Amino acid sequence: MTLTAPETGHRDGDRLLLATLRATAPRTAALVLIATASTGAALLLPAVLGHTLDLLLKGRAAHRWVALCAALVCVPAVLDALGEYLNATTTARTTARLRRTALGHVLAAGPRATARMTPGDLVARLVGNAAQAGTAPTTVAGTVTAVVGPIGGIVALALLDPWLALVFLAGAPLLALLLRAFTRASTDSLAGYQRLQGELAGRLMEAVGGARTIAAAGTAARERDRVLEPLPGLSRHGHRMWRVQGRSSAQATALVPLLQIAVLAVAGLELSRGGLSVGDLLAASRYAVLATGVGMLVGHLGALVHGRTAARRLAEVHALPPTVHGTRRLPADGDGTLRLRGVAAERGGRTVLRGVDLVVPGGSTTAVVGRSGTGKSVLAELAGRLADPDAGEITLDGVPLRELAHDELRRQVGYAFARPALLGGTIGGTLAFGSFAPPPEAVVDAARAACADDFVRRLPDGYDTACAAAPLSGGEAQRLGLARAFAHAGRLLILDDATSSLDSVTEARVADALLHDVAARTRLIVAHRLATAERADRVAWLDGGRIRAVGTHAELWRRLPGYRAVFGA
């Protein structure tokens, strides 16, 4: 039988919940034991109270029984306090574990993660949904003990008088139907609610990231409306959840007292016949309250539904395909030749690259040029295996990138981007950030090559300045990104529009350093500037997702009008 996508999602979410419960089994078992012991004391209390009352009514001494009643009142209080502490710590640990695991899947998937889910939606899943799913162990423990109380109450009623249990059980099917309807309705509304939460978070993150653009364009009101567009749907799902829970609680509230009254009526009748004592009547009233506690399962089931739905969204993060690496190493005598054969790539359902064949000779600098949207950044992404092509093969010194060991790939291929992320805490930490830590002198040499050393030394603490305390221009941030790439340069260096914010003089100095001061033998540069193409050994003209021509800039400029048009000539 073929499963639909929602059914598969539910099964994956359930598997994730089961794995979470197995990981927290000792703590969950301890919670169940503590709560069961507390419930056991609560079940003993009515019988002891009833017996104590009968003794007092007969004028007999009942000091020991009164003391036992006091103990049965105190013991649950102590156990409940211990349970609350264990509840809080278990939920915190489980949530942290779920977040850590989900983050590992996001990082293992790499850039393809944000191709399938927006950054805001990913954040909503890792923060909000992980917290909801993290309550699963404590909710399961609470649900189990919530069932123990009513079952114990029914058994106790049967021991007092079988008719009392039968009267209560007559209304039990109605409670079961109520709980089933509540679970099904809550699941549907919660799935829609959490999906729209993720969409809203994604739009909000886009708006925050583009705050300057929005302010400059004067479109704050329009952007606010766009961000809040999912809000009516979110409100509908939220109101539906509250209606479902309110209706179920109201129905349970109406049914539960009726069952209690029915039990007390039969108990009163038995008292008048002499079948029960006054103490038994007191015990029966207390056991009827415990037995009808099954109505409290509405709250526990609601929490379980929340956790299950959240786990399904986390399971979708776990389903992101990771990048699988091989075990091979590059040949020691390789010159850094990069080769793309029949490479194709799709983004957003659109073919961006189709049948790309390109050779970047070892020891050379190749510039990739083309109009915006022709796939230059996608080609750069594939060339260093930040993502895999949908078709074709890419090799470095004859070894397919897919077959390279992870540490070998990241040691031999360096990247610099147009908008580098300044990770590492300090400026020096940012430059050393990578799969290996270069020596301090190599970091400083790389900063000099990227024309960053001068302005870094002018910062309050130099290379030890915290990134958050270093106001940087776009060009300075790019120079730090270049320096980080230079410090980690192995056999191949890929610059994806990484000099776009540099002035012409600085760019020329960086270009000269690329040839003389950077260890990488081969350089692939995504270029928009004419000067960058002029300095490159070879230029690959990308147009319509294909390589139209490869040659020196002078050759292409002389014979191809379409190439000249790329630069507005």
Side-chain angles (χ1 to χ4, degrees):
M1 182 179 73
T2 303
L3 295 175
T4 63
E7 290 171 335
T8 303
H10 281 303
R11 292 188 62 176
D12 291 342
D14 291 343
R15 281 195 285 266
L16 177 58
L17 273 186
L18 288 174
T20 301
L21 291 172
R22 283 195 294 269
T24 58
R27 285 177 162 263
T28 304
L31 281 169
V32 171
L33 289 174
I34 290 171
T36 302
S38 178
T39 303
L43 287 169
L44 282 175
L45 183 58
V48 174
L49 276 174
H51 184 68
T52 304
L53 179 59
D54 286 338
L55 289 176
L56 292 173
L57 289 174
K58 293 176 182 178
R60 297 181 182 177
H63 303 296
R64 292 181 180 178
W65 289 98
V66 170
L68 182 56
C69 288
L72 290 175
V73 170
C74 293
V75 167
V78 174
L79 291 174
D80 289 346
L82 180 60
E84 285 297 325
Y85 170 77
L86 196 56
N87 259 327
T89 55
T90 300
T91 298
R93 292 188 180 192
T94 305
T95 300
R97 177 180 177 275
L98 287 170
R99 285 174 177 161
R100 184 168 56 250
T101 304
L103 179 61
H105 283 279
V106 171
L107 296 178
R112 74 182 74 186
T114 51
R116 298 194 176 197
M117 303 173 190
T118 65
D121 188 27
L122 279 172
V123 170
R125 292 173 193 248
L126 268 64
V127 177
N129 295 145
Q132 291 166 335
T135 63
T138 57
T139 303
V140 168
T143 304
V144 170
T145 51
V147 173
V148 170
I151 291 176
I154 295 169
V155 171
L157 286 174
L159 292 174
L160 284 173
D161 190 310
W163 285 107
L164 299 179
L166 288 174
V167 168
F168 180 85
L169 290 173
L174 292 176
L175 275 176
L177 288 173
L178 180 118
L179 295 174
R180 183 172 180 269
F182 168 77
T183 303
R184 294 181 64 180
S186 294
T187 300
D188 293 339
S189 56
L190 265 173
Y193 188 87
Q194 292 180 352
R195 177 181 57 79
L196 288 175
Q197 265 188 327
E199 184 179 340
L200 186 65
R203 296 184 181 211
L204 179 60
M205 205 163 179
E206 290 171 1
V208 171
R212 288 194 301 176
T213 302
I214 294 167
T219 58
R222 190 190 312 164
E223 189 63 19
R224 179 197 61 212
D225 293 340
R226 185 189 72 85
V227 171
L228 298 180
E229 186 180 348
L231 204 56
L234 197 70
S235 176
R236 283 195 302 273
H237 284 296
H239 279 88
R240 185 186 173 203
M241 280 193 299
W242 285 114
R243 285 196 301 271
V244 168
Q245 188 162 350
R247 184 171 60 247
S248 300
S249 298
Q251 290 168 344
T253 302
L255 181 59
V256 164
L258 291 176
L259 291 175
Q260 292 175 353
I261 291 169
V263 170
L264 286 175
V266 173
L269 184 60
E270 289 297 312
L271 176 64
S272 65
R273 293 177 179 175
L276 293 177
S277 67
V278 175
D280 292 336
L281 178 62
L282 174 63
S285 67
R286 298 291 301 168
Y287 285 131
V289 172
L290 287 171
T292 51
V294 71
M296 295 180 64
L297 279 174
V298 170
H300 289 288
L301 287 177
L304 277 176
V305 169
H306 273 77
R308 187 187 182 209
T309 309
R312 182 162 63 89
R313 284 172 57 78
L314 283 177
E316 291 173 0
V317 175
H318 288 207
L320 291 170
T323 301
V324 179
H325 296 275
T327 58
R328 294 184 63 180
R329 302 281 167 179
L330 292 176
D333 58 350
D335 61 0
T337 298
L338 178 71
R339 186 183 298 272
L340 289 78
R341 298 189 185 93
V343 169
E346 291 186 4
R347 293 294 184 272
R350 180 175 66 93
T351 300
V352 179
L353 298 177
R354 48 172 66 84
V356 171
D357 293 311
L358 177 66
V359 176
V360 181
S364 70
T365 299
T366 297
V368 179
V369 304
R371 295 182 183 274
S372 296
T374 55
K376 300 186 297 298
S377 289
V378 174
L379 189 148
E381 190 177 83
L382 302 179
R385 213 194 169 198
L386 292 181
D388 288 323
D390 294 296
E393 186 179 60
I394 303 173
T395 63
L396 182 60
D397 284 333
V399 181
L401 295 186
R402 293 176 185 267
E403 298 179 12
L404 282 175
H406 178 262
D407 64 322
E408 178 76 351
L409 176 68
R410 292 301 155 223
R411 276 181 174 271
Q412 299 297 339
V413 181
Y415 267 100
F417 304 99
R419 291 183 294 276
L422 303 182
L423 307 174
T426 65
I427 298 298
T430 292
L431 302 187
F433 186 81
S435 59
F436 66 96
E441 57 272 17
V443 169
V444 173
D445 289 343
R448 290 198 185 103
C451 301
D453 182 67
D454 289 342
F455 80 79
V456 170
R457 292 189 183 278
R458 289 196 297 268
L459 293 172
D461 297 311
Y463 284 86
D464 294 325
T465 303
C467 293
L472 302 172
S473 67
E476 288 171 337
Q478 274 199 345
R479 280 183 272 171
L480 291 180
L482 285 165
R484 194 208 72 82
F486 292 173
H488 294 81
R491 202 166 295 197
L492 172 65
L493 180 63
I494 301 172
L495 307 185
D496 184 5
D497 201 21
T499 60
S500 58
S501 296
L502 303 185
D503 59 80
S504 300
V505 174
T506 303
E507 185 186 18
R509 291 173 60 192
V510 170
D512 185 64
L514 273 173
L515 297 177
H516 303 98
D517 302 324
V518 177
R521 305 171 196 173
T522 308
R523 296 156 294 279
L524 181 68
I525 304 174
V526 171
H528 291 89
R529 291 182 177 178
L530 181 63
T532 305
E534 288 175 334
R535 295 189 190 98
D537 299 319
R538 302 165 76 246
V539 177
W541 174 29
L542 188 64
D543 183 49
R546 298 180 184 276
I547 298 294
R548 296 297 182 186
V550 178
T552 66
H553 169 73
E555 292 171 349
L556 300 182
W557 186 271
R558 183 178 63 253
R559 61 187 180 85
L560 298 174
Y563 176 78
R564 294 195 296 272
V566 172
F567 300 99

